[in-house]
mmCIF file with all atom_site columns, all heavy atoms in Angstrom:
data_model
loop_
_atom_site.group_PDB
_atom_site.id
_atom_site.type_symbol
_atom_site.label_atom_id
_atom_site.label_alt_id
_atom_site.label_comp_id
_atom_site.label_asym_id
_atom_site.label_entity_id
_atom_site.label_seq_id
_atom_site.pdbx_PDB_ins_code
_atom_site.Cartn_x
_atom_site.Cartn_y
_atom_site.Cartn_z
_atom_site.occupancy
_atom_site.B_iso_or_equiv
_atom_site.pdbx_formal_charge
_atom_site.auth_seq_id
_atom_site.auth_comp_id
_atom_site.auth_asym_id
_atom_site.auth_atom_id
_atom_site.pdbx_PDB_model_num
ATOM 1   N N   . ILE A 1 25  ? -112.478 -195.448 0.228   1.00 95.00 ? 239 ILE A N   1
ATOM 2   C CA  . ILE A 1 25  ? -111.619 -194.491 1.006   1.00 95.00 ? 239 ILE A CA  1
ATOM 3   C C   . ILE A 1 25  ? -110.463 -195.227 1.573   1.00 95.00 ? 239 ILE A C   1
ATOM 4   O O   . ILE A 1 25  ? -109.270 -194.754 1.490   1.00 95.00 ? 239 ILE A O   1
ATOM 5   C CB  . ILE A 1 25  ? -112.482 -193.749 2.044   1.00 95.00 ? 239 ILE A CB  1
ATOM 6   C CG1 . ILE A 1 25  ? -113.489 -192.873 1.387   1.00 95.00 ? 239 ILE A CG1 1
ATOM 7   C CG2 . ILE A 1 25  ? -111.558 -192.959 2.963   1.00 95.00 ? 239 ILE A CG2 1
ATOM 8   C CD1 . ILE A 1 25  ? -114.595 -192.319 2.366   1.00 95.00 ? 239 ILE A CD1 1
ATOM 9   N N   . LEU A 1 72  ? -106.637 -187.769 -0.173  1.00 95.00 ? 286 LEU A N   1
ATOM 10  C CA  . LEU A 1 72  ? -105.606 -188.765 0.186   1.00 95.00 ? 286 LEU A CA  1
ATOM 11  C C   . LEU A 1 72  ? -104.583 -188.993 -0.897  1.00 95.00 ? 286 LEU A C   1
ATOM 12  O O   . LEU A 1 72  ? -103.424 -189.358 -0.648  1.00 95.00 ? 286 LEU A O   1
ATOM 13  C CB  . LEU A 1 72  ? -106.360 -190.093 0.449   1.00 95.00 ? 286 LEU A CB  1
ATOM 14  C CG  . LEU A 1 72  ? -107.191 -190.147 1.674   1.00 95.00 ? 286 LEU A CG  1
ATOM 15  C CD1 . LEU A 1 72  ? -108.151 -191.358 1.700   1.00 95.00 ? 286 LEU A CD1 1
ATOM 16  C CD2 . LEU A 1 72  ? -106.300 -190.097 2.986   1.00 95.00 ? 286 LEU A CD2 1
ATOM 17  N N   . LEU A 1 90  ? -106.912 -197.445 -11.199 1.00 94.00 ? 304 LEU A N   1
ATOM 18  C CA  . LEU A 1 90  ? -107.183 -197.915 -9.786  1.00 94.00 ? 304 LEU A CA  1
ATOM 19  C C   . LEU A 1 90  ? -108.421 -197.255 -9.207  1.00 94.00 ? 304 LEU A C   1
ATOM 20  O O   . LEU A 1 90  ? -109.185 -197.802 -8.421  1.00 94.00 ? 304 LEU A O   1
ATOM 21  C CB  . LEU A 1 90  ? -106.005 -197.688 -8.891  1.00 94.00 ? 304 LEU A CB  1
ATOM 22  C CG  . LEU A 1 90  ? -104.788 -198.571 -9.168  1.00 94.00 ? 304 LEU A CG  1
ATOM 23  C CD1 . LEU A 1 90  ? -103.589 -198.022 -8.333  1.00 94.00 ? 304 LEU A CD1 1
ATOM 24  C CD2 . LEU A 1 90  ? -105.098 -200.005 -8.901  1.00 94.00 ? 304 LEU A CD2 1
ATOM 25  N N   . LYS A 1 162 ? -97.563  -164.384 2.276   1.00 89.00 ? 376 LYS A N   1
ATOM 26  C CA  . LYS A 1 162 ? -98.062  -163.240 1.554   1.00 89.00 ? 376 LYS A CA  1
ATOM 27  C C   . LYS A 1 162 ? -99.041  -163.709 0.402   1.00 89.00 ? 376 LYS A C   1
ATOM 28  O O   . LYS A 1 162 ? -100.061 -163.140 0.192   1.00 89.00 ? 376 LYS A O   1
ATOM 29  C CB  . LYS A 1 162 ? -96.845  -162.538 0.906   1.00 89.00 ? 376 LYS A CB  1
ATOM 30  C CG  . LYS A 1 162 ? -97.172  -161.189 0.181   1.00 89.00 ? 376 LYS A CG  1
ATOM 31  C CD  . LYS A 1 162 ? -95.892  -160.451 -0.180  1.00 89.00 ? 376 LYS A CD  1
ATOM 32  C CE  . LYS A 1 162 ? -96.268  -159.123 -0.754  1.00 89.00 ? 376 LYS A CE  1
ATOM 33  N NZ  . LYS A 1 162 ? -96.817  -159.150 -2.180  1.00 89.00 ? 376 LYS A NZ  1
ATOM 34  N N   . ARG A 1 181 ? -111.262 -169.006 5.746   1.00 91.00 ? 395 ARG A N   1
ATOM 35  C CA  . ARG A 1 181 ? -110.748 -167.631 5.451   1.00 91.00 ? 395 ARG A CA  1
ATOM 36  C C   . ARG A 1 181 ? -110.062 -167.069 6.718   1.00 91.00 ? 395 ARG A C   1
ATOM 37  O O   . ARG A 1 181 ? -108.948 -166.547 6.678   1.00 91.00 ? 395 ARG A O   1
ATOM 38  C CB  . ARG A 1 181 ? -111.871 -166.761 4.946   1.00 91.00 ? 395 ARG A CB  1
ATOM 39  C CG  . ARG A 1 181 ? -111.451 -165.286 4.854   1.00 91.00 ? 395 ARG A CG  1
ATOM 40  C CD  . ARG A 1 181 ? -112.661 -164.391 4.915   1.00 91.00 ? 395 ARG A CD  1
ATOM 41  N NE  . ARG A 1 181 ? -112.358 -163.170 5.823   1.00 91.00 ? 395 ARG A NE  1
ATOM 42  C CZ  . ARG A 1 181 ? -113.279 -162.498 6.414   1.00 91.00 ? 395 ARG A CZ  1
ATOM 43  N NH1 . ARG A 1 181 ? -114.549 -162.807 6.314   1.00 91.00 ? 395 ARG A NH1 1
ATOM 44  N NH2 . ARG A 1 181 ? -112.952 -161.535 7.116   1.00 91.00 ? 395 ARG A NH2 1
ATOM 45  N N   . GLY A 1 220 ? -127.776 -165.347 28.162  1.00 94.00 ? 434 GLY A N   1
ATOM 46  C CA  . GLY A 1 220 ? -128.896 -165.618 29.108  1.00 94.00 ? 434 GLY A CA  1
ATOM 47  C C   . GLY A 1 220 ? -129.914 -164.544 28.936  1.00 94.00 ? 434 GLY A C   1
ATOM 48  O O   . GLY A 1 220 ? -131.067 -164.851 28.870  1.00 94.00 ? 434 GLY A O   1
ATOM 49  N N   . LYS A 1 250 ? -105.877 -151.021 13.067  1.00 84.00 ? 464 LYS A N   1
ATOM 50  C CA  . LYS A 1 250 ? -105.073 -150.342 12.059  1.00 84.00 ? 464 LYS A CA  1
ATOM 51  C C   . LYS A 1 250 ? -105.918 -149.318 11.237  1.00 84.00 ? 464 LYS A C   1
ATOM 52  O O   . LYS A 1 250 ? -105.540 -148.155 11.124  1.00 84.00 ? 464 LYS A O   1
ATOM 53  C CB  . LYS A 1 250 ? -104.464 -151.320 11.127  1.00 84.00 ? 464 LYS A CB  1
ATOM 54  C CG  . LYS A 1 250 ? -103.463 -150.747 10.133  1.00 84.00 ? 464 LYS A CG  1
ATOM 55  C CD  . LYS A 1 250 ? -102.831 -151.778 9.284   1.00 84.00 ? 464 LYS A CD  1
ATOM 56  C CE  . LYS A 1 250 ? -101.841 -151.161 8.261   1.00 84.00 ? 464 LYS A CE  1
ATOM 57  N NZ  . LYS A 1 250 ? -101.218 -152.202 7.367   1.00 84.00 ? 464 LYS A NZ  1
ATOM 58  N N   . TYR A 1 276 ? -136.501 -161.401 11.630  1.00 94.00 ? 490 TYR A N   1
ATOM 59  C CA  . TYR A 1 276 ? -136.962 -160.003 11.802  1.00 94.00 ? 490 TYR A CA  1
ATOM 60  C C   . TYR A 1 276 ? -137.573 -159.710 13.213  1.00 94.00 ? 490 TYR A C   1
ATOM 61  O O   . TYR A 1 276 ? -137.472 -158.682 13.772  1.00 94.00 ? 490 TYR A O   1
ATOM 62  C CB  . TYR A 1 276 ? -137.866 -159.528 10.657  1.00 94.00 ? 490 TYR A CB  1
ATOM 63  C CG  . TYR A 1 276 ? -137.052 -159.398 9.356   1.00 94.00 ? 490 TYR A CG  1
ATOM 64  C CD1 . TYR A 1 276 ? -137.053 -160.461 8.462   1.00 94.00 ? 490 TYR A CD1 1
ATOM 65  C CD2 . TYR A 1 276 ? -136.417 -158.214 9.130   1.00 94.00 ? 490 TYR A CD2 1
ATOM 66  C CE1 . TYR A 1 276 ? -136.400 -160.269 7.245   1.00 94.00 ? 490 TYR A CE1 1
ATOM 67  C CE2 . TYR A 1 276 ? -135.660 -158.042 7.947   1.00 94.00 ? 490 TYR A CE2 1
ATOM 68  C CZ  . TYR A 1 276 ? -135.645 -159.028 6.989   1.00 94.00 ? 490 TYR A CZ  1
ATOM 69  O OH  . TYR A 1 276 ? -134.926 -158.987 5.777   1.00 94.00 ? 490 TYR A OH  1
ATOM 70  N N   . ILE A 1 297 ? -129.917 -159.957 4.284   1.00 90.00 ? 511 ILE A N   1
ATOM 71  C CA  . ILE A 1 297 ? -130.946 -160.915 3.808   1.00 90.00 ? 511 ILE A CA  1
ATOM 72  C C   . ILE A 1 297 ? -131.624 -160.381 2.545   1.00 90.00 ? 511 ILE A C   1
ATOM 73  O O   . ILE A 1 297 ? -131.752 -161.024 1.513   1.00 90.00 ? 511 ILE A O   1
ATOM 74  C CB  . ILE A 1 297 ? -132.027 -161.180 4.890   1.00 90.00 ? 511 ILE A CB  1
ATOM 75  C CG1 . ILE A 1 297 ? -131.450 -161.939 6.063   1.00 90.00 ? 511 ILE A CG1 1
ATOM 76  C CG2 . ILE A 1 297 ? -133.183 -162.009 4.330   1.00 90.00 ? 511 ILE A CG2 1
ATOM 77  C CD1 . ILE A 1 297 ? -132.366 -162.265 7.197   1.00 90.00 ? 511 ILE A CD1 1
ATOM 78  N N   . GLN A 1 306 ? -126.081 -164.348 3.901   1.00 90.00 ? 520 GLN A N   1
ATOM 79  C CA  . GLN A 1 306 ? -127.294 -163.585 4.336   1.00 90.00 ? 520 GLN A CA  1
ATOM 80  C C   . GLN A 1 306 ? -127.386 -163.614 5.802   1.00 90.00 ? 520 GLN A C   1
ATOM 81  O O   . GLN A 1 306 ? -127.135 -164.658 6.463   1.00 90.00 ? 520 GLN A O   1
ATOM 82  C CB  . GLN A 1 306 ? -128.540 -164.364 3.706   1.00 90.00 ? 520 GLN A CB  1
ATOM 83  C CG  . GLN A 1 306 ? -128.681 -164.126 2.200   1.00 90.00 ? 520 GLN A CG  1
ATOM 84  C CD  . GLN A 1 306 ? -129.950 -164.724 1.688   1.00 90.00 ? 520 GLN A CD  1
ATOM 85  O OE1 . GLN A 1 306 ? -130.106 -165.945 1.624   1.00 90.00 ? 520 GLN A OE1 1
ATOM 86  N NE2 . GLN A 1 306 ? -130.963 -163.953 1.444   1.00 90.00 ? 520 GLN A NE2 1
ATOM 87  N N   . TYR A 1 435 ? -116.728 -139.248 -8.228  1.00 92.00 ? 649 TYR A N   1
ATOM 88  C CA  . TYR A 1 435 ? -117.559 -139.273 -7.017  1.00 92.00 ? 649 TYR A CA  1
ATOM 89  C C   . TYR A 1 435 ? -117.594 -140.718 -6.546  1.00 92.00 ? 649 TYR A C   1
ATOM 90  O O   . TYR A 1 435 ? -117.780 -141.661 -7.288  1.00 92.00 ? 649 TYR A O   1
ATOM 91  C CB  . TYR A 1 435 ? -118.989 -138.821 -7.484  1.00 92.00 ? 649 TYR A CB  1
ATOM 92  C CG  . TYR A 1 435 ? -120.044 -139.033 -6.351  1.00 92.00 ? 649 TYR A CG  1
ATOM 93  C CD1 . TYR A 1 435 ? -120.274 -138.147 -5.340  1.00 92.00 ? 649 TYR A CD1 1
ATOM 94  C CD2 . TYR A 1 435 ? -120.916 -140.207 -6.423  1.00 92.00 ? 649 TYR A CD2 1
ATOM 95  C CE1 . TYR A 1 435 ? -121.241 -138.394 -4.359  1.00 92.00 ? 649 TYR A CE1 1
ATOM 96  C CE2 . TYR A 1 435 ? -121.857 -140.446 -5.547  1.00 92.00 ? 649 TYR A CE2 1
ATOM 97  C CZ  . TYR A 1 435 ? -122.044 -139.463 -4.540  1.00 92.00 ? 649 TYR A CZ  1
ATOM 98  O OH  . TYR A 1 435 ? -123.021 -139.651 -3.498  1.00 92.00 ? 649 TYR A OH  1
ATOM 99  N N   . ALA A 1 513 ? -88.098  -162.123 -45.789 1.00 85.00 ? 727 ALA A N   1
ATOM 100 C CA  . ALA A 1 513 ? -87.329  -161.370 -44.838 1.00 85.00 ? 727 ALA A CA  1
ATOM 101 C C   . ALA A 1 513 ? -88.072  -161.234 -43.533 1.00 85.00 ? 727 ALA A C   1
ATOM 102 O O   . ALA A 1 513 ? -87.591  -161.307 -42.399 1.00 85.00 ? 727 ALA A O   1
ATOM 103 C CB  . ALA A 1 513 ? -86.929  -160.050 -45.412 1.00 85.00 ? 727 ALA A CB  1
ATOM 104 N N   . PHE A 1 526 ? -94.628  -153.398 -38.300 1.00 84.00 ? 740 PHE A N   1
ATOM 105 C CA  . PHE A 1 526 ? -94.846  -151.921 -38.064 1.00 84.00 ? 740 PHE A CA  1
ATOM 106 C C   . PHE A 1 526 ? -94.919  -151.624 -36.582 1.00 84.00 ? 740 PHE A C   1
ATOM 107 O O   . PHE A 1 526 ? -94.420  -150.705 -36.082 1.00 84.00 ? 740 PHE A O   1
ATOM 108 C CB  . PHE A 1 526 ? -96.118  -151.499 -38.721 1.00 84.00 ? 740 PHE A CB  1
ATOM 109 C CG  . PHE A 1 526 ? -96.053  -151.362 -40.292 1.00 84.00 ? 740 PHE A CG  1
ATOM 110 C CD1 . PHE A 1 526 ? -97.131  -151.508 -41.039 1.00 84.00 ? 740 PHE A CD1 1
ATOM 111 C CD2 . PHE A 1 526 ? -94.798  -151.223 -40.879 1.00 84.00 ? 740 PHE A CD2 1
ATOM 112 C CE1 . PHE A 1 526 ? -97.146  -151.352 -42.433 1.00 84.00 ? 740 PHE A CE1 1
ATOM 113 C CE2 . PHE A 1 526 ? -94.701  -151.081 -42.279 1.00 84.00 ? 740 PHE A CE2 1
ATOM 114 C CZ  . PHE A 1 526 ? -95.856  -151.179 -43.033 1.00 84.00 ? 740 PHE A CZ  1
#
Side-chain angles (χ1 to χ4, degrees):
I239 294 167
L286 290 166
L304 292 171
K376 185 172 185 288
R395 173 204 136 202
K464 187 176 179 182
Y490 288 96
I511 293 178
Q520 288 184 287
Y649 170 85
F740 286 156

